[in-house]
Amino acid sequence: MLLDRDGTLVEDVPYNGDPEKVRPVPGAREALDRLRAAGLRLAVVTNQSGLARGYFTAHDLRRVNARVEELLGPFDDWQICPHAESDRCACRKPAPGMVHAAARALGTTASRCVLIGDIGADMAAAAAAGAAAVMVPTPATRDAEVAAAPTVAADLPDAVDTVLARMRLVAAPDTARRPGRGTVLVVRSDAAGDVLVTGPGIRAVAAGAERVVLLCGPRGRAAADLLPGVDEVVECPLPWIDAPAPPVDPDDMRALTDRLAAVRADEAVVFTSFHQSPLPLALLLRLAGVPRISAISDDYPGALLDVRHRVPVGVPEPERALSLAAAAGYPLPADDDPGLRLRTDRLPPAPAAAGSPGYVVLHPGSSVETRACPVELATRMVRVLGAAGLRVVVTGGPDERELTARVAAAGGVDLGGRTGLDELAAVIARAGALVVGNTGPAHLAAALGVPVVSLFAPTVPFGQWGPYRVPTVRLGDAAAPCRDTRATTCPVPGHPCLSAVEPGRVLEALRLLGVGG
């Protein structure tokens, strides 16, 4: 657990070198003690440029920090950046250096940490390290920073409540099942990205089952074949999930029910996104004779569900899936990192045209218009990144060949229409970073541990759908008028949430992620 100091733990007194001016924020000691009681180790990560500016001495800083501990209890580690912004060091937030250093000092990795802070630099440092973050705004926090934060809390005690609630959500219940519980049918229909973010939940089920069969739709099949823990894949479109929706054919539904019965599942875990219902499939599973069914459902399920689970709004999709698995009795084992993962042994070689590893992949397109990068911006990115000495590989699907050819003509390598999902994963696996909108390749990168520059259209919440537990820099206007509309066609002319991004900011983001110097 990582915490900013000024404005988060104690009142922000600019360049404070006087321990008598230390004032904890309301409820700070009690909130920190709850974290300690939950078994979490605590570290402070704080920018202190007053040292470089000569406003106080190192001795003064030690006295102030000692007073903080006197009032708030001991911390397991302190990470302090003494540099001014002009020093361009690797530790000053929004750079991720202190987050990584604190994680090492606590005996863990950044991807298993949460940082609580009060400004955008705190959120950016956490994201660039692959850590989660919760913002506690103060009157000095800018509105744009609040809009871009993955999670926002009212105050420090509320932020601690949020962290502890998310821990409980994915924890093992008293009724957790033991390994070897027979065949479990897991379900995740929808697109490839949806299947990928469900991977941690599926791995949790696989850790406690003898056999796992995954039911998915045609758009998610290629991703399903790459998930660890899946023994068999059953592909079938579901009219209440897939888009565009196929017609409901009684014969197709009877055939699906027969296919489900042939799995001979001892139970089923139906994973869905926050706007989808598991109940139509639960009815078919009952008709197929599945004796135990678990799903997330706000609607009354009657006799269709044995485990009716509920999840607060805004929980990241991978944690949403993990929470359902835990509620069904399948917590993720302690030795399994909860991030996304792929069967890399199933990846083909990357196309020779991609060249040697270390390039930047730009994926400008998306199956959803609102999430695509404007073509003129993508073209300018290729030109600017190339001028900075970076090799750019442009990727896209078979229906995006014209787009990728136009973008790559500015100086990139065009792989548009030449990679299936597994080959795209192979290309991304060898990249230094991926530049992409909110679409499936972002989750491929997260599963491969490849840093992401996320051109994230705010039509859906970033905290729920952003790249999960991988170093990320978010770009774009998080407060644009399309925010939280879930629109698939841009409701505002000119795509302003992304079109205002300057290619130079992409270059800065790559450098923050350690790519390009």
Side-chain angles (χ1 to χ4, degrees), residues 3 58 85 202 204 225 369 423 427 465:
L3 301 111
E85 185 175 0
I202 294 173
D225 288 335
E369 176 196 316
E423 292 162 318
V427 171
W465 283 103

Side-chain angles (χ1 to χ4, degrees), residues 385-398:
L385 299 184
L390 295 168
R391 292 179 293 123
V392 182
V393 173
V394 183
T395 58

Side-chain angles (χ1 to χ4, degrees), residues 123-418:
M123 304 296 100
V134 180
M135 173 177 277
V136 179
T138 70
T141 310
R142 293 182 298 152
D143 290 344
E145 295 176 325
V146 178
T151 304
V152 179
D155 51 28
L156 181 58
D158 184 40
V160 169
D161 286 343
T162 299
V163 172
L164 295 178
R166 282 172 57 174
M167 287 177 59
R168 289 191 297 270
L169 201 60
V170 300
D174 294 337
T175 56
R177 286 155 133 40
R178 296 293 178 263
R181 297 293 299 186
T183 296
V184 181
L185 176 70
V186 296
V187 182
R188 187 60 171 101
S189 193
D190 220 330
D194 304 286
V195 173
L196 291 171
V197 297
T198 310
I202 294 173
R203 292 202 313 272
V205 173
E210 293 176 359
R211 178 169 169 260
V212 171
V213 179
L214 170 59
L215 172 66
C216 69
R219 293 187 298 151
R221 175 59 192 262
D225 288 335
L226 295 176
L227 287 186
V230 176
D231 299 297
E232 180 183 347
V233 177
V234 175
E235 178 187 327
C236 183
L238 302 180
W240 54 92
I241 297 289
D242 288 323
V248 178
D249 185 297
D251 291 335
D252 289 345
M253 294 301 99
R254 281 189 284 269
L256 174 58
T257 303
D258 292 342
R259 181 67 184 89
L260 295 173
V263 174
R264 303 181 65 83
D266 296 285
E267 62 180 294
V269 181
V270 183
F271 296 102
T272 51
S273 187
F274 71 103
H275 62 283
Q276 298 170 341
S277 172
L279 299 185
L281 183 62
L283 176 59
L284 298 187
L285 291 167
R286 284 293 189 227
L287 296 176
V290 178
R292 187 176 190 267
I293 304 172
S294 303
I296 297 171
S297 180
D298 290 325
D299 296 327
Y300 173 63
L304 296 181
L305 299 179
D306 299 283
V307 176
R308 178 194 183 189
H309 184 51
R310 296 189 183 187
V311 180
V313 174
V315 172
E317 286 288 301
E319 292 177 24
R320 194 173 191 273
L322 280 169
S323 76
L324 174 58
Y330 296 97
L332 191 71
D335 60 352
D336 189 350
D337 188 290
L340 311 190
R341 195 184 308 160
L342 295 183
R343 288 278 310 270
T344 54
D345 59 304
R346 294 187 177 181
L347 297 184
S356 58
Y359 44 77
V360 173
V361 173
L362 171 60
H363 192 91
S366 172
S367 60
V368 178
E369 176 196 316
T370 50
R371 303 177 190 173
C373 176
V375 61
E376 292 192 0
L377 171 59
T379 303
R380 290 164 57 212
M381 284 182 195
V382 172
R383 190 174 296 117
V384 169
L385 299 184
L390 295 168
R391 292 179 293 123
V392 182
V393 173
V394 183
T395 58
D399 59 342
E400 295 171 331
R401 288 177 183 269
E402 182 178 345
L403 167 66
T404 60
R406 179 177 170 185
V407 172
V413 175
D414 183 11
L415 292 184
R418 296 165 58 185

